[in-house]
Amino acid sequence: MNYNKIGGGVIIAAVVIVLLAFIAFDSYFTVSAGTSAIKLRFGKVVGSYEEGLHLKIPFVDRIEKFSIRIKKDIVSTEAFSKDLQTVKVGLAINHRIQPDTVISIYRNLGIDYVNTVLAPMAEEWIKAIVAKYSAESLISNRVEVAKELDSVLKEKMGQKQVIVSDIAIVDFDFSSQFLKAVEEKQIAEQEAKRATNLVEKVKKEAEQQVLKAKAEAESLKLQRQAVTPDLIKLRQVEAQLKAIEKWNGVMPHYMAGDMPFIMAK
């Protein structure tokens, strides 16, 4: 018995079995939930596939997979405001693609469309929109800037079949020199406001004193005008009546030496 031939046959059989197993395993592919795939045959797109088990030709077909779930990417860039202040902006972009657009996106944008299309477009529009505002107005109009970026990116990326669901500004920083200048200006405005309020308070108090003095003068004037001879007589009669009401009926008397006498009219 030729053991060399037997050993060589066993090796060949083992290689064939391994090759057949590899071919069997390479004859199908799976697409998981939240994923879409395209099949390439010698570089040509031959179809798109959704979740499940699918067949392919071993060593010939190649599979590229796309996530169709919402993805979040951060785009960071520097821009210049209308008054040429440097602004660092970080933008969080939530986006996704539809299963029926994966072939078109692969052909036109590529698998890495975030870095080749989405990020450059976001940077471009961040710079364009920030340049419309002064640095100080950017601080107070952050919400409006975010809304404008959201609207533009939804429209522009929608034209490329990428759905931008929403965006959010996660970073909005200015130079330390500018922030210091803004803080100093706010302090100066607060001091000026306090000074203005103090002046207004003093002015109102002075006006109240003038009004009070005018009222008192008017009151005295009216009182003087109201004092007539008849009023004086009336006041005298009223005083006499009050004195009579208080009299106890005893005539007043005085002592002159040892003899008392009564005063009478």
Side-chain angles (χ1 to χ4, degrees), residues 145-162:
V145 172
K147 287 181 179 178
E148 192 169 354
L149 282 169
D150 182 75
S151 176
V152 169
L153 290 178
K154 281 180 178 178
E155 178 187 354
K156 298 299 181 182
M157 292 307 297
Q159 294 172 1
K160 298 183 180 298
Q161 299 180 313
V162 176

Side-chain angles (χ1 to χ4, degrees), residues 101-173:
T101 64
V102 292
I103 292 178
S104 175
I105 287 175
Y106 180 81
R107 285 175 173 163
N108 299 319
L109 307 181
I111 294 177
D112 194 23
Y113 69 88
V114 172
N115 292 320
T116 58
V117 180
L118 179 58
M121 182 177 290
E123 290 181 14
E124 176 186 353
W125 282 102
I126 287 171
K127 292 176 180 179
I129 291 173
V130 166
K132 294 165 57 177
Y133 296 84
S134 67
E136 195 167 345
S137 65
L138 280 170
I139 297 174
S140 57
N141 290 289
R142 176 170 175 162
V143 174
E144 286 71 16
V145 172
K147 287 181 179 178
E148 192 169 354
L149 282 169
D150 182 75
S151 176
V152 169
L153 290 178
K154 281 180 178 178
E155 178 187 354
K156 298 299 181 182
M157 292 307 297
Q159 294 172 1
K160 298 183 180 298
Q161 299 180 313
V162 176
I163 300 170
V164 174
S165 54
D166 58 83
I167 66 102
I169 295 176
V170 295
D171 190 17
F172 212 58
D173 290 331

Side-chain angles (χ1 to χ4, degrees), residues 16-104:
V16 170
I17 291 172
V18 171
L19 184 59
L20 290 174
F22 184 79
I23 291 172
F25 280 111
D26 198 42
S27 297
Y28 67 91
F29 64 96
T30 58
V31 180
S32 59
T35 306
S36 188
I38 60 171
K39 184 193 291 183
L40 300 167
R41 185 168 297 158
F42 300 113
K44 180 181 179 180
V45 178
V46 295
S48 63
Y49 302 86
E50 297 184 25
E51 58 185 85
L53 182 67
H54 307 280
L55 297 175
K56 69 184 186 72
I57 300 174
F59 310 111
V60 175
D61 293 341
R62 182 166 59 91
I63 307 301
E64 295 284 0
K65 296 181 179 180
F66 290 81
S67 173
I68 56 175
R69 291 192 177 101
I70 294 178
K71 295 171 60 181
K72 181 173 78 171
D73 284 278
I74 305 293
V75 177
S76 298
T77 189
E78 283 190 354
F80 291 98
S81 64
K82 190 176 181 179
D83 50 352
L84 301 180
Q85 293 290 335
T86 302
V87 187
K88 294 181 180 179
V89 182
L91 200 64
I93 306 174
N94 292 328
H95 59 93
R96 63 186 176 89
I97 60 175
Q98 297 281 23
D100 57 353
T101 64
V102 292
I103 292 178
S104 175

